Amino acid sequence: MLNVFVHHVLMFGNVTGGGNAYNIPNNYLSIDDGALSETCCVGTLAHEVGHCLGLYHTFNWTWGSGNQNQVREKVERVGTCANCTTEGDLLCDTPADPHELASFWGIDTLYLLVWENMTNCVFDTIVMDNCGDQYDPDETNMMSYFPDSCHSNFTTDQGLRALSFLNGSLSGLLAPENQTITQTATYTAGEYFHTAKQVITYASSNLAYTADAILRSAAGNAIYVTPGTTFSPGIGFTLLSAQSTCD
């Protein structure tokens, strides 16, 4: 379960923003409601979810000192000039992206405006790394800062990195295959969630959700409720949702 907080206005100091994952990786993010509804920003949520699943910007520069002369990720993927495993987003199937270099190396303002306002999703400005190779970033990558209208993909290595976090430090985000609820309790307030990829079974001898208690249960195939479970909300509610899915 990944928590998504939707803000009417999302502020970064005195500046409004589209989204924020707060940490890499993370189990929650914030997004401005405009980024969910406006066509300009349709990739923002996917971008922030990528951060939550351990993905960096394709132009990530934080591994260096921040000095404008610091060597950043180079264009080569293999060979003596390659450093894609230690710089940038640490992945070698995402082409090196000079976006942060543009601001650090003093490339003129016009260049930055052209970058941020591309309409044809083609980066045709010449920027060289210090090995003499010309940058050719992927304008369609979800983790880039190219316009949202250009975004359409994550790479294989980005997917594998995300999967490694989901199987590791983010394993708590994943629903179990099946879940059986056996505790004996009466809940009159609070909010409760039960999720499973396949089946949830309420198998308690005495379990009740009443009064102000809010219960949400979601499973991929079925939810079974055995005798002993009571759903009797007052101003709270109970929602059980099972949806069979295709392979």
Side-chain angles (χ1 to χ4, degrees):
M1 183 177 294
L2 180 69
N3 292 296
V4 178
F5 297 94
V6 180
H7 302 249
H8 181 56
V9 178
L10 182 60
M11 299 294 296
F12 300 92
N14 295 323
V15 180
T16 59
N20 191 8
Y22 300 100
N23 202 3
I24 301 175
N26 203 6
N27 60 7
Y28 64 92
L29 63 88
S30 288
I31 190 166
D32 186 274
D33 59 4
L36 295 177
S37 61
E38 298 173 11
T39 56
C40 69
C41 310
V42 293
T44 302
L45 182 58
H47 180 99
E48 300 304 334
V49 170
H51 284 318
C52 286
L53 299 183
L55 303 183
Y56 295 102
H57 291 134
T58 53
F59 57 84
N60 189 70
W61 60 274
T62 56
W63 315 120
S65 67
N67 185 296
Q68 66 180 17
N69 295 316
Q70 178 74 25
V71 174
R72 306 301 181 189
E73 185 180 13
K74 301 172 186 176
V75 172
E76 284 191 13
R77 304 289 90 184
V78 295
T80 56
C81 232
N83 62 354
C84 52
T85 61
T86 57
E87 295 292 339
D89 64 356
L90 308 180
L91 300 172
C92 290
D93 74 341
T94 56
D97 184 338
H99 185 280
E100 202 67 39
L101 297 179
S103 58
F104 269 95
W105 287 1
I107 296 174
D108 60 46
T109 302
L110 177 61
Y111 163 77
L112 292 177
L113 289 174
V114 169
W115 184 298
E116 297 294 351
N117 294 282
M118 289 192 317
T119 57
N120 57 359
C121 296
V122 175
F123 174 63
D124 56 6
T125 304
I126 296 176
V127 184
M128 311 293 288
D129 68 13
N130 60 1
C131 289
D133 295 313
Q134 181 175 334
Y135 283 97
D136 184 20
D138 180 3
E139 301 91 341
T140 68
N141 194 278
M142 284 289 188
M143 301 310 295
S144 76
Y145 260 18
F146 288 102
D148 268 11
S149 57
C150 303
H151 293 170
S152 62
N153 80 93
F154 293 98
T155 67
T156 297
D157 284 352
Q158 285 175 320
L160 291 172
R161 181 178 174 87
L163 185 61
S164 71
F165 280 101
L166 283 169
N167 288 328
S169 61
L170 294 177
S171 60
L173 297 182
L174 298 177
E177 285 295 319
N178 301 290
Q179 185 173 184
T180 300
I181 313 301
T182 59
Q183 71 261 39
T184 297
T186 298
Y187 298 103
T188 59
E191 193 164 357
Y192 305 90
F193 300 86
H194 296 135
T195 61
K197 295 177 183 176
Q198 301 297 328
V199 175
I200 294 174
T201 302
Y202 287 92
S204 174
S205 60
N206 190 1
L207 176 64
Y209 296 88
T210 65
D212 296 344
I214 296 173
L215 169 67
R216 292 183 174 91
S217 297
N221 289 324
I223 296 176
Y224 298 115
V225 181
T226 63
T229 303
T230 300
F231 304 117
S232 182
I235 62 173
F237 62 85
T238 299
L239 173 64
L240 306 178
S241 177
Q243 176 64 57
S244 295
T245 56
C246 299
D247 292 335

